[in-house]
Amino acid sequence: MGLLSSSKGLETASSRASAATLNDAQISLSLLKEAMDGTNIPFVKGVAGVAVEVIKIAQSIQSNREECDHLRKRTTSLLVVILGSFKGKSENAIPDHLKIGVERLTTTFHEVLAELRVVERRVGKQSVGGLARAILYHIDNGEKLKECSAKLEWAMREFQVTSKVDSCLKDLERHEELMKGQDAIKEQMREGQVQIEENIKVEIRDGLTEIKDVIKDQ
């Protein structure tokens, strides 16, 4: 009787945990969709659309929940970084190396999505393949999900490096513009100094001429 009660208690706790995870995932999706509506850049919307599909499947798989939740959170984090990097920007203002970075991300998300669909199909077959097959699928699915998370981890680092390069290039451009501005100011100051010296010379010459005229009159 005690074992049965404990078993029911664990099932209840597991159900509550799954419900909390699902609610968290739904909130994440809702916020991401709002963020996606804030950009009109086609290739950004494209990669975001694939990422959202990854999140949906990851939260729907009823096996390997820990790995699925980790993958979902990793995907959400990466998508937040992507959307934040292009917020308020127009397509024409985005440099080619960032566009290439997004293309690579899109490819990675498609690869992850394909792996997730394989896992999803396997989970559907676990209940009809016997215990041994279910265990093997569970182990193999866990490895696939970890590999997917590792791919996204690498993709995030690569994109952050690309974004950092873009930021450094912009800083360099701003520095060069600042230096040009300083050079222009220096040139204006030099020209102003030259003009002041010329004015002083003219005033001195005029003053000497006046003195000579006064001396002659005396």
Side-chain angles (χ1 to χ4, degrees), residues 4 13 32 35 43 58 65 69 99-101 103 118 121 141 147 170 190 204 211:
L4 181 60
L32 286 174
F43 60 85
R65 284 312 313 160
D69 288 341
K99 292 179 181 178
I100 292 171
E103 288 175 4
V118 171
R121 286 195 295 272
N141 288 343
E147 288 174 7
K170 288 180 179 177
R190 189 188 67 79
I204 291 172
I211 292 170

Side-chain angles (χ1 to χ4, degrees), residues 13-192:
S14 177
S15 298
R16 287 175 180 171
S18 298
T21 298
L22 181 60
N23 185 53
D24 177 49
Q26 289 172 338
I27 292 171
S28 296
L29 278 174
S30 177
L31 292 174
L32 286 174
K33 286 177 180 178
E34 286 182 17
M36 286 169 61
D37 291 339
T39 179
N40 294 316
I41 304 172
F43 60 85
V44 176
K45 280 186 173 292
V47 70
V50 183
V52 166
E53 285 301 309
V54 169
I55 294 170
K56 286 180 178 178
I57 294 179
Q59 75 181 36
S60 69
I61 294 173
Q62 298 303 311
S63 179
N64 303 91
R65 284 312 313 160
E66 183 177 349
E67 291 90 347
C68 285
D69 288 341
H70 181 74
L71 178 60
R72 176 181 60 78
K73 290 175 182 178
R74 176 61 61 199
T75 304
T76 301
S77 297
L78 181 49
L79 187 50
V80 167
V81 170
I82 296 168
L83 293 173
S85 298
F86 296 100
K87 185 178 180 180
K89 295 182 180 178
S90 64
E91 185 175 1
N92 295 332
I94 298 171
D96 290 337
H97 64 273
L98 270 184
K99 292 179 181 178
I100 292 171
V102 174
E103 288 175 4
R104 289 175 179 170
L105 281 174
T106 305
T107 300
T108 300
F109 274 127
H110 275 297
E111 291 172 355
V112 170
L113 185 60
E115 292 289 347
L116 270 181
R117 283 172 175 158
V118 171
V119 172
E120 188 179 35
R121 286 195 295 272
R122 283 181 173 181
V123 170
K125 295 177 181 178
Q126 280 183 192
S127 59
V128 295
L131 180 60
R133 185 176 182 179
I135 292 173
L136 288 174
Y137 272 172
H138 183 82
I139 294 171
D140 191 52
N141 288 343
E143 291 302 316
K144 280 185 177 295
L145 290 167
K146 288 176 182 177
E147 288 174 7
C148 288
S149 290
K151 276 187 178 181
L152 292 182
E153 176 70 28
W154 176 256
M156 175 177 277
R157 290 181 181 179
E158 187 178 44
F159 183 75
Q160 286 176 327
V161 169
T162 304
S163 299
K164 187 67 176 177
V165 168
D166 182 60
S167 177
C168 289
L169 288 173
K170 288 180 179 177
D171 288 341
L172 180 60
E173 288 175 0
R174 283 193 291 267
H175 177 70
E176 289 176 348
E177 289 176 1
L178 180 61
M179 293 302 294
K180 287 178 182 178
Q182 289 180 346
D183 290 341
I185 291 172
K186 288 178 181 178
E187 181 62 23
Q188 289 175 358
M189 290 177 66
R190 189 188 67 79
E191 291 175 355

